[in-house]
Amino acid sequence: MSEAIKDPTRKPRREYRNIHIGELGQYRMPLSAIVSILHRISGMLLFVLLPFILYLLQESIRSEISFAHFQGIAQHPFTKLVILAMVWGYMHHFCAGIRHLVMDTHVGLDKDSARKTSVVVLIISLVVTLLVALKLFGVF
């Protein structure tokens, strides 16, 4: 009976359905979801590279000769890009982790606050990475 009487001024309800793999290109994720995915990626990057970083640290503090050797390796542009990726991974993971800790206290869970905090995480991590890049490539 209720289907027979429809209000013409009422907007139709939005349909939520599962996304097919072919529709992923048209799906627009919210910024907070992108920051959350990048948080997972940066965490994985840090986890995978941690043994390598610790090995390089161990070898660089072994002697003055090994330190000079690694200093020469660090001057290569590809190595600088790898260092820059690790700096971005650390900064993004750190900032997004603080965001998640604050959200665990039930602060900033609404849509606008989540969008604002995700923008802040992206800006802070990218600005710090840019500053490190400028220092790393000798601009200042």
Side-chain angles (χ1 to χ4, degrees):
M1 181 75 176
S2 65
E3 292 180 1
I5 305 171
K6 289 187 179 180
D7 186 9
T9 61
R10 188 171 177 183
K11 291 176 18 178
R13 292 185 70 175
R14 190 169 178 182
E15 180 182 335
Y16 294 98
R17 57 186 174 86
N18 292 335
I19 299 174
H20 187 267
I21 191 78
E23 299 173 334
L24 286 177
Q26 295 106 16
Y27 184 71
R28 185 174 167 264
M29 292 174 58
L31 192 58
S32 56
I34 294 171
V35 168
S36 180
I37 291 170
L38 288 175
H39 178 72
R40 293 170 190 231
I41 291 171
S42 63
M44 183 189 67
L45 176 74
L46 292 174
F47 179 75
V48 168
L49 292 179
L50 184 65
F52 180 66
I53 293 168
L54 291 177
Y55 170 73
L56 290 180
L57 177 66
Q58 173 191 342
E59 292 297 315
S60 70
I61 61 177
R62 180 177 291 183
S63 68
E64 291 181 20
I65 296 171
S66 65
F67 179 76
H69 175 71
F70 283 108
Q71 202 172 20
I73 290 173
Q75 296 302 319
H76 193 274
F78 179 74
T79 308
K80 289 181 180 183
L81 290 176
V82 170
I83 291 170
L84 206 56
M86 291 187 305
V87 167
W88 171 82
Y90 175 75
M91 285 310 303
H92 183 82
H93 197 74
F94 179 77
C95 294
I98 290 185
R99 175 180 179 257
H100 286 297
L101 285 174
V102 170
M103 290 172 65
D104 283 344
T105 63
H106 302 287
V107 174
L109 292 179
D110 59 306
K111 192 175 183 179
D112 291 333
S113 297
R115 186 180 304 121
K116 288 177 186 175
T117 57
S118 57
V119 167
V120 168
V121 166
L122 286 176
I123 289 174
I124 289 175
S125 64
L126 290 176
V127 165
V128 171
T129 304
L130 178 67
L131 290 174
V132 169
L134 292 176
K135 180 69 176 169
L136 194 60
F137 287 101
V139 176
F140 63 73

